[in-house]
Amino acid sequence: MNIILLGPPGSGKGTQAKRLEARFGLLQISTGEILREAVIADNELGKKIKSTMDAGELISDKLVLEVIRSRLEEPDCKRGVVFDGFPRTVAQAKALEEIKRAKNEKVDVVIMLDVDDEALITRIEERATSAGVHGARSDDTVEVLKHRLQAYRIWTAPIIPFYEDRGILERVDGMKDIKQVSSAVNKIVDTIKNN
Ligand code: ADP
């Protein structure tokens, strides 16, 4: 089974991906996490990735697709994947479709976490405050997160009609608490599993 979690920054994709991983034995693939690991390797490419991420901008499709293609060759992907933070552009969505088609596989469902703009800004501010305290991610400042929200609207939101056209988009109210969102997500996945 292949699941995509879609939603703006701060919508709770990472949290829900981890829960799906635990409940259904799937593998979470977060391009954000893979890219952050690449940044730890302190070379030229790492520096370039870091400055793009720190600005809240998207990494090039070419690089992200290189990373994803090689990750999807690993045998642990056979148990099924929850994609979190990928695809982020229509070009990435099309490429994923091709990659899956070549393996005789498909994306089974795209779960969209709907969160309204005002709530997102609040979450973003809270996350930035706690990141400041804990010294966490360098792209978790209000300014950068707002930039990331803008990148989402320009580049990622067009993925929604792309998957709607394919009849595999399911929407979940991401404003509810984590457990309620989780149970709505589980219901969708259960239905697909049983079909
Ligand atoms: P979040 O889950 O908070 O939305 P991520 O960890 O998914 O954030 O991504 C952090 C940053 O990594 C993004 O702002 C972007 O710069 C880069 N990134 C992650 N995934 C992709 C992708 N699929 N395409 C382009 N850039 C990406």
Side-chain angles (χ1 to χ4, degrees):
M1 187 159 39
N2 292 291
I3 301 172
I4 294 172
L5 284 176
L6 194 60
S11 60
K13 296 185 299 279
T15 304
Q16 294 302 328
K18 289 215 159 56
R19 293 186 145 231
L20 279 176
E21 188 174 58
R23 187 184 171 100
F24 294 97
L26 300 164
L27 174 75
Q28 174 190 12
I29 295 187
S30 155
T31 41
E33 266 171 36
I34 298 176
L35 292 167
R36 276 188 289 279
E37 276 164 26
V39 166
I40 293 167
D42 194 18
N43 52 27
E44 272 315 301
L45 181 62
K47 279 184 195 140
K48 211 176 133 202
I49 296 173
K50 182 169 173 15
S51 69
T52 307
M53 286 173 85
D54 283 353
E57 277 156 25
L58 294 190
I59 304 298
S60 74
D61 287 337
K62 186 169 178 284
L63 179 60
V64 169
L65 287 169
E66 227 170 86
V67 161
I68 272 289
R69 276 204 176 89
S70 93
R71 185 62 187 87
L72 290 177
E73 289 306 317
E74 301 289 326
D76 56 352
C77 297
K78 288 204 176 72
R79 60 186 210 245
V81 172
V82 184
F83 292 97
D84 149 26
F86 175 88
R88 252 181 165 92
T89 64
V90 172
Q92 291 177 16
K94 286 184 178 160
L96 179 63
E97 202 169 52
E98 275 311 307
I99 295 169
K100 287 289 159 199
R101 192 176 293 151
K103 292 183 197 287
N104 265 324
E105 288 174 20
K106 61 176 169 40
V107 172
D108 297 277
V109 68
V110 179
I111 302 173
M112 163 84 205
L113 302 178
D114 269 323
V115 177
D116 73 39
D117 279 10
E118 215 175 297
L120 270 182
I121 300 287
T122 309
R123 281 190 190 179
I124 280 172
E125 282 168 353
E126 282 169 5
R127 190 154 126 182
T129 311
S130 73
V133 172
H134 304 300
R137 280 166 54 172
S138 53
D139 63 346
D140 261 357
T141 65
V142 176
E143 217 35 55
V144 174
L145 282 162
K146 284 185 176 162
H147 207 123
R148 289 171 55 200
L149 192 51
Q150 206 178 359
Y152 172 82
R153 291 198 185 112
I154 297 169
W155 299 105
T156 311
I159 290 183
I160 299 167
F162 176 89
Y163 286 122
E164 263 169 348
D165 282 352
R166 281 151 180 78
I168 55 171
L169 189 92
E170 298 282 348
R171 288 174 188 271
V172 163
D173 181 358
M175 302 284 293
K176 300 259 165 65
D177 66 38
I178 290 178
K179 279 196 176 149
Q180 284 173 301
V181 176
S182 198
S183 93
V185 168
N186 289 343
K187 218 180 258 176
I188 293 169
V189 177
D190 276 327
T191 308
I192 286 165
K193 253 187 105 176
N194 296 328
N195 271 342

